[in-house]
Amino acid sequence: MNHLAAQCIRCHKVEKRKGSDIGPNLQSAGLQGRSHHLEAIVEPQKTIAEGYGSISLTLKNGQSVAGLFKSEVKRVIEIKDAEGKITKVASEDVKERTPVISTMPPMGAILTKREIRDIIEYLSTLKSKK
Ligand code: HEC
């Protein structure tokens, strides 16, 4: 909540407490294992929480669309912008796309090992069902 450099609540919250929805709500983080938490914190690009990765598309008509990659089903890509609005794009209209990436900063250089261990233990206690 209060770490000045890590600022987890700039992007996350736990249940309905103070925070933001840029990253996933961490209320059920404890249902995942400690090794997942460690990886999510020090190497965020390795696995991206579903629906929370960022992507940028360049369309054949020259427009670009960027936001959170929600899904790609039956050749329709859904992208969510910062206001929560969903844009649908037909896969065949896409000229170029970036890989889906995490906007979470890697915390290995920002937090001490002890702080990382404390966060992992804290996350392990969060077991609300979504
Ligand atoms: C700038 C925004 C930002 C900040 C700051 C941030 N995160 Fe994240 N975090 C994200 C985003 C976006 C994702 C989803 C993409 C991914 O999986 O990396 C994420 C994913 C996670 C996940 C994985 C969730 C899952 O369901 O797999 C955990 C755990 C996590 N963050 C914990 C933290 C902690 C703890 C901090 C503070 C030390 C923090 N984050 C700071 C944006 C952020």
Side-chain angles (χ1 to χ4, degrees), residues 6-8 11-12 32 36 44 47-49 52 102-104 107 119:
Q7 300 189 34
C8 312
C11 302
H12 293 283
Q32 299 165 318
H36 176 81
T47 51
I48 313 267
Y52 289 94
S102 174
T103 52
M104 171 151 161
M107 294 289 169
I119 291 179

Side-chain angles (χ1 to χ4, degrees), residues 5-12 22-26 29 32 36-37 40-41 43-45 47-50 52-54 68 101-105 107 111 119 123 130:
Q7 300 189 34
C8 312
I9 62 165
R10 194 154 61 82
C11 302
H12 293 283
I22 293 174
N25 193 310
L26 297 176
Q32 299 165 318
H36 176 81
H37 303 150
I41 291 168
E43 220 177 332
Q45 300 306 339
T47 51
I48 313 267
E50 208 185 317
Y52 289 94
S54 294
L68 296 183
I101 56 147
S102 174
T103 52
M104 171 151 161
M107 294 289 169
L111 298 171
I119 291 179
L123 291 172
K130 284 193 179 137

Side-chain angles (χ1 to χ4, degrees), residues 21-24 48-55 67-71 78-81 86 100-101:
D21 293 319
I22 293 174
I48 313 267
E50 208 185 317
Y52 289 94
S54 294
I55 192 171
L68 296 183
F69 174 77
K70 283 289 159 189
S71 61
E78 291 197 351
I79 303 217
K80 193 169 146 188
D81 71 14
I86 304 267
V100 178
I101 56 147

